[in-house]
Amino acid sequence: MRVTASAPAKIILFGEHSVVYGKPAIAAAIDLRTYVTARFNENRRIKIEARDIKTPGLIVSFSENEIYFESDYGKAAEVLSYVRQAIELVREESDRSGKGVTVSITSQIPVGAGLGSSAAVAVATIGAVSRLFGLELSPEEVGKLGHRVELLVQGASSGIDPTVSAIGGFIHYQNGSFEHLPFMELPLVVGYTGSSGSTKELVAMVRESYEDMPEVIGPILNSMGMLVGKAKDVITGEHGVDLKFGLLGRLMNVNHGLLDALGVSTKKLSELVYAARVAGALGAKITGAGGGGCMYALAPKRQSEVATAIKIAGGTPMITRISRDGLRIEEVER
Ligand code: MEV
């Protein structure tokens, strides 16, 4: 038997970092996906074939105490810990803990770009392996297991990335609970800096600042929480679409400034943000943990101008759409 599942990338529209402190955030799944095929193998090993994960190719297998690298590796190695934990958690949840499993991964999501590649690979792996083991998990349950994987691998995580990847669409998220927001076609442009930040290190850096100066950092996090509340009101309110986009753009700019104040922006990220605004975006901000990775812009009727400006400023633009689908079981071959 062989099962293929896929899960989408995400962008955080508002509220990254503050969401780790119990504040709300708004995120959407986007139309870049990771595909994972799972099958049993003859030995008791977990074998991971990362054939194309937008980093150099890699095939690795591990048994109890050994890791076998079968080809080059690089940033791809980071992805492995998420895949391994995902498989082990599903093995624990089932009665098949001794079974060997081989998973093959292909992905359209650049690794380390702040687009949730780790969460997508964890969610797709949990989806494929749980179905292989005969477990019937709902997308919510897969999202919760994905959150456990993130906690095991990166220490701190709000759970927003695996939740939106498992559920899909456009969500408001707080403290492990989510609600769908009305679906909106957002004219977005994502700009990739080409470098990656470590979510684990950036979350730890913000934690340190908060612990060293809670009276300064606390109000920034509170303000982020308030602006997410305002963004939710705008999205669910009765305004016309132009007014909605205008208000959301301004809130994005405020959110970017506050993320910069937390120290998670970089020169390159801010250059792409300003290039997008100058080219006519209504708003532009970091998306995800920062420290490199991606920014996004809201650019009604100006997507191609903004994409060109991001390119001229040295970034890689991607015109993306929100994906209604979260985790999908693509194929079950018996
Ligand atoms: C990462 O995509 C978002 C962060 O808020 C971390 C998290 O929520 O787990 C930086």
Side-chain angles (χ1 to χ4, degrees):
M1 184 174 168
R2 154 197 305 260
V3 181
T4 302
S6 76
K10 66 90 202 4
I11 57 172
I12 297 190
L13 297 161
F14 297 99
E16 49 277 271
H17 286 290
S18 44
V19 69
V20 176
Y21 297 80
K23 313 288 177 210
I26 295 175
I30 57 172
D31 58 358
L32 295 171
R33 301 186 79 83
T34 294
Y35 293 82
V36 172
T37 299
R39 58 188 191 278
F40 291 118
N41 63 37
E42 293 305 309
N43 46 50
R44 293 161 69 90
R45 281 196 216 151
I46 292 176
K47 180 167 178 174
I48 302 166
E49 301 169 347
R51 297 211 173 271
D52 175 9
I53 55 167
K54 291 275 172 275
T55 68
L58 174 76
I59 300 181
V60 173
S61 51
F62 6 160
S63 62
E64 281 296 86
N65 301 313
E66 292 157 294
I67 300 182
Y68 308 87
F69 285 96
E70 296 177 22
S71 64
D72 269 358
Y73 73 100
K75 265 201 283 177
E78 292 167 24
V79 175
L80 290 183
S81 11
Y82 290 87
V83 178
R84 183 184 187 175
Q85 284 296 353
I87 298 173
E88 285 180 351
L89 271 189
V90 178
R91 290 211 297 189
E92 272 169 31
E93 293 286 309
S94 73
D95 52 2
R96 311 274 191 106
S97 51
K99 277 274 192 184
V101 180
T102 299
V103 297
S104 296
I105 304 163
T106 56
S107 184
Q108 305 163 335
I109 310 170
V111 170
L115 299 178
S117 58
S118 311
V121 84
V123 165
T125 303
I126 294 165
V129 176
S130 60
R131 181 62 75 92
L132 184 72
F133 285 3
L135 292 175
E136 291 289 335
L137 300 180
S138 66
E140 277 102 317
E141 288 168 325
V142 172
K144 286 206 186 308
L145 283 180
H147 186 196
R148 276 173 61 194
V149 170
E150 283 199 339
L151 288 171
L152 286 163
V153 177
Q154 68 194 41
S157 146
S158 67
I160 190 169
D161 290 10
T163 302
V164 73
S165 183
I167 302 296
F170 196 19
I171 67 163
H172 178 271
Y173 180 90
Q174 188 166 19
N175 282 330
S177 303
F178 72 91
E179 69 180 279
H180 276 290
L181 293 175
F183 193 82
M184 265 178 100
E185 280 296 348
L186 292 174
L188 304 178
V189 185
V190 173
Y192 179 30
T193 56
S195 68
S196 61
S198 154
T199 300
K200 182 178 177 174
E201 282 167 23
L202 288 148
V203 168
M205 185 192 84
V206 174
R207 169 73 58 196
E208 200 180 314
S209 299
Y210 179 63
E211 281 168 3
D212 290 347
M213 24 183 193
E215 66 288 18
V216 176
I217 303 298
I220 296 176
L221 298 170
N222 288 340
S223 221
M224 288 174 160
M226 306 289 274
L227 77 83
V228 174
K230 178 77 189 160
K232 183 184 175 201
D233 290 346
V234 171
I235 291 164
T236 54
E238 298 296 313
H239 311 290
V241 81
D242 290 347
L243 187 56
K244 280 191 180 188
F245 286 164
L247 287 166
L248 291 175
R250 282 163 60 196
L251 288 166
M252 286 166 67
N253 294 341
V254 175
N255 202 165
H256 181 77
L258 294 171
L259 286 164
D260 199 2
L262 288 183
V264 301
S265 191
T266 62
K267 180 169 177 283
K268 187 86 197 168
L269 274 168
S270 286
E271 280 166 4
L272 301 188
V273 161
Y274 280 92
R277 290 184 197 161
V278 169
L282 297 179
K285 67 177 274 291
I286 292 170
T287 182
C294 287
M295 48 68 73
Y296 85 96
L298 181 65
K301 303 193 187 77
R302 304 284 293 176
Q303 275 166 298
S304 66
E305 290 85 344
V306 168
T308 305
I310 287 173
K311 198 162 185 183
I312 291 169
T316 306
M318 297 175 250
I319 296 184
T320 47
R321 293 166 69 89
I322 293 183
S323 162
R324 287 178 195 266
D325 287 352
L327 172 67
R328 279 199 315 237
I329 301 295
E330 302 283 351
E331 201 180 355
V332 180
E333 225 179 86
R334 286 179 199 281

PDB file of all heavy atoms in Angstrom, residues 10 12 15-20 114-116 147 150 154 156-162 173 199 202-203 287-290, ligand 1:
ATOM      1  N   LYS A  10       1.978  28.583   3.858  1.00  0.00           N
ATOM      2  CA  LYS A  10       1.092  29.591   4.457  1.00  0.00           C
ATOM      3  C   LYS A  10       1.770  30.945   4.446  1.00  0.00           C
ATOM      4  O   LYS A  10       2.988  31.030   4.354  1.00  0.00           O
ATOM      5  CB  LYS A  10       0.753  29.195   5.901  1.00  0.00           C
ATOM      6  CG  LYS A  10       1.974  29.211   6.862  1.00  0.00           C
ATOM      7  CD  LYS A  10       2.193  30.516   7.533  1.00  0.00           C
ATOM      8  CE  LYS A  10       3.469  30.949   8.088  1.00  0.00           C
ATOM      9  NZ  LYS A  10       4.745  30.543   8.182  1.00  0.00           N
ATOM     10  N   ILE A  12       1.541  34.327   7.099  1.00  0.00           N
ATOM     11  CA  ILE A  12       0.887  34.974   8.239  1.00  0.00           C
ATOM     12  C   ILE A  12       0.611  36.398   7.785  1.00  0.00           C
ATOM     13  O   ILE A  12       1.524  37.137   7.404  1.00  0.00           O
ATOM     14  CB  ILE A  12       1.763  34.913   9.494  1.00  0.00           C
ATOM     15  CG1 ILE A  12       1.948  33.434   9.882  1.00  0.00           C
ATOM     16  CG2 ILE A  12       1.124  35.720  10.633  1.00  0.00           C
ATOM     17  CD1 ILE A  12       2.578  33.177  11.201  1.00  0.00           C
ATOM     18  N   GLY A  15       0.262  39.269  12.885  1.00  0.00           N
ATOM     19  CA  GLY A  15       0.354  38.719  14.240  1.00  0.00           C
ATOM     20  C   GLY A  15       1.425  37.670  14.498  1.00  0.00           C
ATOM     21  O   GLY A  15       1.385  37.030  15.556  1.00  0.00           O
ATOM     22  N   GLU A  16       2.428  37.499  13.569  1.00  0.00           N
ATOM     23  CA  GLU A  16       3.500  36.567  13.904  1.00  0.00           C
ATOM     24  C   GLU A  16       4.257  37.086  15.141  1.00  0.00           C
ATOM     25  O   GLU A  16       4.272  38.285  15.426  1.00  0.00           O
ATOM     26  CB  GLU A  16       4.469  36.315  12.746  1.00  0.00           C
ATOM     27  CG  GLU A  16       5.018  37.512  12.031  1.00  0.00           C
ATOM     28  CD  GLU A  16       4.033  38.010  10.968  1.00  0.00           C
ATOM     29  OE1 GLU A  16       4.080  37.548   9.828  1.00  0.00           O
ATOM     30  OE2 GLU A  16       3.237  38.910  11.342  1.00  0.00           O
ATOM     31  N   HIS A  17       4.886  36.232  15.845  1.00  0.00           N
ATOM     32  CA  HIS A  17       5.599  36.477  17.110  1.00  0.00           C
ATOM     33  C   HIS A  17       4.637  36.771  18.265  1.00  0.00           C
ATOM     34  O   HIS A  17       4.672  36.061  19.269  1.00  0.00           O
ATOM     35  CB  HIS A  17       6.681  37.566  16.978  1.00  0.00           C
ATOM     36  CG  HIS A  17       7.888  37.060  16.239  1.00  0.00           C
ATOM     37  ND1 HIS A  17       8.739  36.125  16.784  1.00  0.00           N
ATOM     38  CD2 HIS A  17       8.350  37.296  14.986  1.00  0.00           C
ATOM     39  CE1 HIS A  17       9.685  35.821  15.897  1.00  0.00           C
ATOM     40  NE2 HIS A  17       9.462  36.516  14.795  1.00  0.00           N
ATOM     41  N   SER A  18       3.761  37.799  18.138  1.00  0.00           N
ATOM     42  CA  SER A  18       2.854  38.057  19.259  1.00  0.00           C
ATOM     43  C   SER A  18       1.934  36.845  19.499  1.00  0.00           C
ATOM     44  O   SER A  18       1.481  36.615  20.623  1.00  0.00           O
ATOM     45  CB  SER A  18       2.040  39.334  19.016  1.00  0.00           C
ATOM     46  OG  SER A  18       1.567  39.387  17.694  1.00  0.00           O
ATOM     47  N   VAL A  19       1.685  36.041  18.447  1.00  0.00           N
ATOM     48  CA  VAL A  19       0.817  34.860  18.581  1.00  0.00           C
ATOM     49  C   VAL A  19       1.429  33.843  19.553  1.00  0.00           C
ATOM     50  O   VAL A  19       0.708  33.096  20.221  1.00  0.00           O
ATOM     51  CB  VAL A  19       0.532  34.236  17.181  1.00  0.00           C
ATOM     52  CG1 VAL A  19       1.769  33.599  16.568  1.00  0.00           C
ATOM     53  CG2 VAL A  19      -0.595  33.223  17.226  1.00  0.00           C
ATOM     54  N   VAL A  20       2.761  33.859  19.679  1.00  0.00           N
ATOM     55  CA  VAL A  20       3.437  32.936  20.614  1.00  0.00           C
ATOM     56  C   VAL A  20       3.075  33.324  22.063  1.00  0.00           C
ATOM     57  O   VAL A  20       3.172  32.507  22.976  1.00  0.00           O
ATOM     58  CB  VAL A  20       4.973  32.984  20.374  1.00  0.00           C
ATOM     59  CG1 VAL A  20       5.728  32.130  21.377  1.00  0.00           C
ATOM     60  CG2 VAL A  20       5.313  32.569  18.936  1.00  0.00           C
ATOM     61  N   GLY A 114      10.108  31.181   5.497  1.00  0.00           N
ATOM     62  CA  GLY A 114       9.050  31.777   6.321  1.00  0.00           C
ATOM     63  C   GLY A 114       7.674  31.470   5.768  1.00  0.00           C
ATOM     64  O   GLY A 114       6.671  32.071   6.168  1.00  0.00           O
ATOM     65  N   LEU A 115       7.604  30.518   4.832  1.00  0.00           N
ATOM     66  CA  LEU A 115       6.311  30.168   4.233  1.00  0.00           C
ATOM     67  C   LEU A 115       5.774  28.860   4.800  1.00  0.00           C
ATOM     68  O   LEU A 115       4.856  28.257   4.238  1.00  0.00           O
ATOM     69  CB  LEU A 115       6.431  30.076   2.704  1.00  0.00           C
ATOM     70  CG  LEU A 115       6.847  31.360   1.998  1.00  0.00           C
ATOM     71  CD1 LEU A 115       6.978  31.141   0.497  1.00  0.00           C
ATOM     72  CD2 LEU A 115       5.837  32.489   2.268  1.00  0.00           C
ATOM     73  N   GLY A 116       6.346  28.416   5.897  1.00  0.00           N
ATOM     74  CA  GLY A 116       5.782  27.244   6.578  1.00  0.00           C
ATOM     75  C   GLY A 116       6.164  25.924   5.939  1.00  0.00           C
ATOM     76  O   GLY A 116       5.401  24.964   5.993  1.00  0.00           O
ATOM     77  N   HIS A 147       1.513  20.499  15.489  1.00  0.00           N
ATOM     78  CA  HIS A 147       1.961  21.430  16.538  1.00  0.00           C
ATOM     79  C   HIS A 147       2.895  20.708  17.515  1.00  0.00           C
ATOM     80  O   HIS A 147       3.931  21.237  17.915  1.00  0.00           O
ATOM     81  CB  HIS A 147       0.733  21.998  17.265  1.00  0.00           C
ATOM     82  CG  HIS A 147       1.064  23.072  18.261  1.00  0.00           C
ATOM     83  ND1 HIS A 147       0.183  23.481  19.229  1.00  0.00           N
ATOM     84  CD2 HIS A 147       2.179  23.827  18.449  1.00  0.00           C
ATOM     85  CE1 HIS A 147       0.742  24.439  19.961  1.00  0.00           C
ATOM     86  NE2 HIS A 147       1.960  24.664  19.501  1.00  0.00           N
ATOM     87  N   GLU A 150       6.268  20.486  16.010  1.00  0.00           N
ATOM     88  CA  GLU A 150       7.014  21.753  16.095  1.00  0.00           C
ATOM     89  C   GLU A 150       7.556  21.979  17.501  1.00  0.00           C
ATOM     90  O   GLU A 150       8.680  22.435  17.673  1.00  0.00           O
ATOM     91  CB  GLU A 150       6.112  22.932  15.710  1.00  0.00           C
ATOM     92  CG  GLU A 150       5.907  23.052  14.230  1.00  0.00           C
ATOM     93  CD  GLU A 150       5.419  24.437  13.822  1.00  0.00           C
ATOM     94  OE1 GLU A 150       4.857  25.189  14.654  1.00  0.00           O
ATOM     95  OE2 GLU A 150       5.588  24.763  12.645  1.00  0.00           O
ATOM     96  N   GLN A 154      11.370  22.512  17.580  1.00  0.00           N
ATOM     97  CA  GLN A 154      11.872  23.882  17.735  1.00  0.00           C
ATOM     98  C   GLN A 154      11.642  24.482  19.111  1.00  0.00           C
ATOM     99  O   GLN A 154      11.987  25.629  19.342  1.00  0.00           O
ATOM    100  CB  GLN A 154      11.326  24.790  16.615  1.00  0.00           C
ATOM    101  CG  GLN A 154       9.837  25.060  16.680  1.00  0.00           C
ATOM    102  CD  GLN A 154       9.291  25.673  15.392  1.00  0.00           C
ATOM    103  OE1 GLN A 154       9.681  25.258  14.308  1.00  0.00           O
ATOM    104  NE2 GLN A 154       8.415  26.646  15.503  1.00  0.00           N
ATOM    105  N   ALA A 156       9.640  26.238  21.027  1.00  0.00           N
ATOM    106  CA  ALA A 156       8.437  27.060  21.178  1.00  0.00           C
ATOM    107  C   ALA A 156       7.713  27.167  19.839  1.00  0.00           C
ATOM    108  O   ALA A 156       8.353  27.249  18.792  1.00  0.00           O
ATOM    109  CB  ALA A 156       8.811  28.449  21.653  1.00  0.00           C
ATOM    110  N   SER A 157       6.399  27.126  19.875  1.00  0.00           N
ATOM    111  CA  SER A 157       5.599  27.304  18.659  1.00  0.00           C
ATOM    112  C   SER A 157       4.174  27.613  19.081  1.00  0.00           C
ATOM    113  O   SER A 157       3.659  27.034  20.038  1.00  0.00           O
ATOM    114  CB  SER A 157       5.635  26.014  17.845  1.00  0.00           C
ATOM    115  OG  SER A 157       4.412  25.809  17.175  1.00  0.00           O
ATOM    116  N   SER A 158       3.527  28.521  18.358  1.00  0.00           N
ATOM    117  CA  SER A 158       2.128  28.828  18.675  1.00  0.00           C
ATOM    118  C   SER A 158       1.200  27.779  18.073  1.00  0.00           C
ATOM    119  O   SER A 158       0.044  27.676  18.456  1.00  0.00           O
ATOM    120  CB  SER A 158       1.753  30.192  18.092  1.00  0.00           C
ATOM    121  OG  SER A 158       1.759  30.119  16.681  1.00  0.00           O
ATOM    122  N   GLY A 159       1.680  27.036  17.064  1.00  0.00           N
ATOM    123  CA  GLY A 159       0.832  26.054  16.369  1.00  0.00           C
ATOM    124  C   GLY A 159       0.079  26.625  15.182  1.00  0.00           C
ATOM    125  O   GLY A 159      -0.657  25.911  14.512  1.00  0.00           O
ATOM    126  N   ILE A 160       0.288  27.918  14.883  1.00  0.00           N
ATOM    127  CA  ILE A 160      -0.497  28.509  13.781  1.00  0.00           C
ATOM    128  C   ILE A 160      -0.105  27.907  12.428  1.00  0.00           C
ATOM    129  O   ILE A 160      -0.972  27.666  11.584  1.00  0.00           O
ATOM    130  CB  ILE A 160      -0.381  30.062  13.774  1.00  0.00           C
ATOM    131  CG1 ILE A 160      -1.393  30.641  12.795  1.00  0.00           C
ATOM    132  CG2 ILE A 160       1.028  30.539  13.478  1.00  0.00           C
ATOM    133  CD1 ILE A 160      -1.552  32.151  12.885  1.00  0.00           C
ATOM    134  N   ASP A 161       1.198  27.634  12.217  1.00  0.00           N
ATOM    135  CA  ASP A 161       1.632  27.143  10.898  1.00  0.00           C
ATOM    136  C   ASP A 161       1.022  25.772  10.574  1.00  0.00           C
ATOM    137  O   ASP A 161       0.390  25.612   9.522  1.00  0.00           O
ATOM    138  CB  ASP A 161       3.164  27.078  10.805  1.00  0.00           C
ATOM    139  CG  ASP A 161       3.824  28.450  10.772  1.00  0.00           C
ATOM    140  OD1 ASP A 161       3.141  29.454  11.004  1.00  0.00           O
ATOM    141  OD2 ASP A 161       5.041  28.513  10.520  1.00  0.00           O
ATOM    142  N   PRO A 162       1.177  24.751  11.461  1.00  0.00           N
ATOM    143  CA  PRO A 162       0.563  23.454  11.130  1.00  0.00           C
ATOM    144  C   PRO A 162      -0.958  23.519  11.078  1.00  0.00           C
ATOM    145  O   PRO A 162      -1.584  22.805  10.291  1.00  0.00           O
ATOM    146  CB  PRO A 162       1.040  22.519  12.244  1.00  0.00           C
ATOM    147  CG  PRO A 162       1.581  23.387  13.309  1.00  0.00           C
ATOM    148  CD  PRO A 162       1.999  24.667  12.680  1.00  0.00           C
ATOM    149  N   TYR A 173      -6.530  32.795  14.498  1.00  0.00           N
ATOM    150  CA  TYR A 173      -5.985  31.761  15.376  1.00  0.00           C
ATOM    151  C   TYR A 173      -5.570  32.379  16.708  1.00  0.00           C
ATOM    152  O   TYR A 173      -4.989  33.463  16.743  1.00  0.00           O
ATOM    153  CB  TYR A 173      -4.755  31.145  14.705  1.00  0.00           C
ATOM    154  CG  TYR A 173      -4.078  30.055  15.506  1.00  0.00           C
ATOM    155  CD1 TYR A 173      -4.448  28.733  15.351  1.00  0.00           C
ATOM    156  CD2 TYR A 173      -3.047  30.362  16.401  1.00  0.00           C
ATOM    157  CE1 TYR A 173      -3.821  27.722  16.079  1.00  0.00           C
ATOM    158  CE2 TYR A 173      -2.418  29.364  17.126  1.00  0.00           C
ATOM    159  CZ  TYR A 173      -2.806  28.045  16.950  1.00  0.00           C
ATOM    160  OH  TYR A 173      -2.194  27.047  17.658  1.00  0.00           O
ATOM    161  N   THR A 199      13.419  30.052  12.723  1.00  0.00           N
ATOM    162  CA  THR A 199      12.261  30.394  13.555  1.00  0.00           C
ATOM    163  C   THR A 199      12.606  30.188  15.034  1.00  0.00           C
ATOM    164  O   THR A 199      12.310  31.028  15.883  1.00  0.00           O
ATOM    165  CB  THR A 199      11.058  29.513  13.162  1.00  0.00           C
ATOM    166  OG1 THR A 199      10.779  29.761  11.788  1.00  0.00           O
ATOM    167  CG2 THR A 199       9.824  29.828  13.978  1.00  0.00           C
ATOM    168  N   LEU A 202      14.795  33.058  16.262  1.00  0.00           N
ATOM    169  CA  LEU A 202      14.095  34.356  16.298  1.00  0.00           C
ATOM    170  C   LEU A 202      13.070  34.396  17.419  1.00  0.00           C
ATOM    171  O   LEU A 202      12.935  35.401  18.118  1.00  0.00           O
ATOM    172  CB  LEU A 202      13.450  34.626  14.935  1.00  0.00           C
ATOM    173  CG  LEU A 202      14.509  34.970  13.874  1.00  0.00           C
ATOM    174  CD1 LEU A 202      14.106  34.490  12.506  1.00  0.00           C
ATOM    175  CD2 LEU A 202      14.787  36.465  13.864  1.00  0.00           C
ATOM    176  N   VAL A 203      12.363  33.274  17.622  1.00  0.00           N
ATOM    177  CA  VAL A 203      11.390  33.215  18.718  1.00  0.00           C
ATOM    178  C   VAL A 203      12.140  33.343  20.058  1.00  0.00           C
ATOM    179  O   VAL A 203      11.708  34.059  20.967  1.00  0.00           O
ATOM    180  CB  VAL A 203      10.553  31.908  18.640  1.00  0.00           C
ATOM    181  CG1 VAL A 203       9.749  31.672  19.908  1.00  0.00           C
ATOM    182  CG2 VAL A 203       9.609  31.960  17.432  1.00  0.00           C
ATOM    183  N   THR A 287       6.493  38.436   6.527  1.00  0.00           N
ATOM    184  CA  THR A 287       5.562  37.369   6.890  1.00  0.00           C
ATOM    185  C   THR A 287       6.364  36.211   7.469  1.00  0.00           C
ATOM    186  O   THR A 287       7.412  35.849   6.932  1.00  0.00           O
ATOM    187  CB  THR A 287       4.684  36.905   5.703  1.00  0.00           C
ATOM    188  OG1 THR A 287       3.801  35.898   6.179  1.00  0.00           O
ATOM    189  CG2 THR A 287       5.482  36.372   4.525  1.00  0.00           C
ATOM    190  N   GLY A 288       5.914  35.691   8.620  1.00  0.00           N
ATOM    191  CA  GLY A 288       6.654  34.598   9.263  1.00  0.00           C
ATOM    192  C   GLY A 288       7.644  35.143  10.279  1.00  0.00           C
ATOM    193  O   GLY A 288       7.529  36.278  10.730  1.00  0.00           O
ATOM    194  N   ALA A 289       8.644  34.338  10.596  1.00  0.00           N
ATOM    195  CA  ALA A 289       9.525  34.672  11.712  1.00  0.00           C
ATOM    196  C   ALA A 289      10.475  35.822  11.422  1.00  0.00           C
ATOM    197  O   ALA A 289      10.983  36.465  12.338  1.00  0.00           O
ATOM    198  CB  ALA A 289      10.310  33.428  12.114  1.00  0.00           C
ATOM    199  N   GLY A 290      10.767  36.124  10.147  1.00  0.00           N
ATOM    200  CA  GLY A 290      11.711  37.201   9.814  1.00  0.00           C
ATOM    201  C   GLY A 290      13.152  36.705   9.808  1.00  0.00           C
ATOM    202  O   GLY A 290      13.400  35.507   9.654  1.00  0.00           O
TER     203      GLY A 290
HETATM  204  C1  MEV B   1       6.348  31.498  12.319  1.00  0.00           C
HETATM  205  O1  MEV B   1       5.736  31.267  11.042  1.00  0.00           O
HETATM  206  C2  MEV B   1       5.441  32.306  13.201  1.00  0.00           C
HETATM  207  C3  MEV B   1       5.980  32.613  14.587  1.00  0.00           C
HETATM  208  O2  MEV B   1       4.956  33.414  15.221  1.00  0.00           O
HETATM  209  C4  MEV B   1       6.260  31.375  15.401  1.00  0.00           C
HETATM  210  C5  MEV B   1       4.994  30.618  15.806  1.00  0.00           C
HETATM  211  O3  MEV B   1       3.910  31.177  15.798  1.00  0.00           O
HETATM  212  O4  MEV B   1       5.129  29.419  16.174  1.00  0.00           O
HETATM  213  C6  MEV B   1       7.238  33.458  14.510  1.00  0.00           C
END
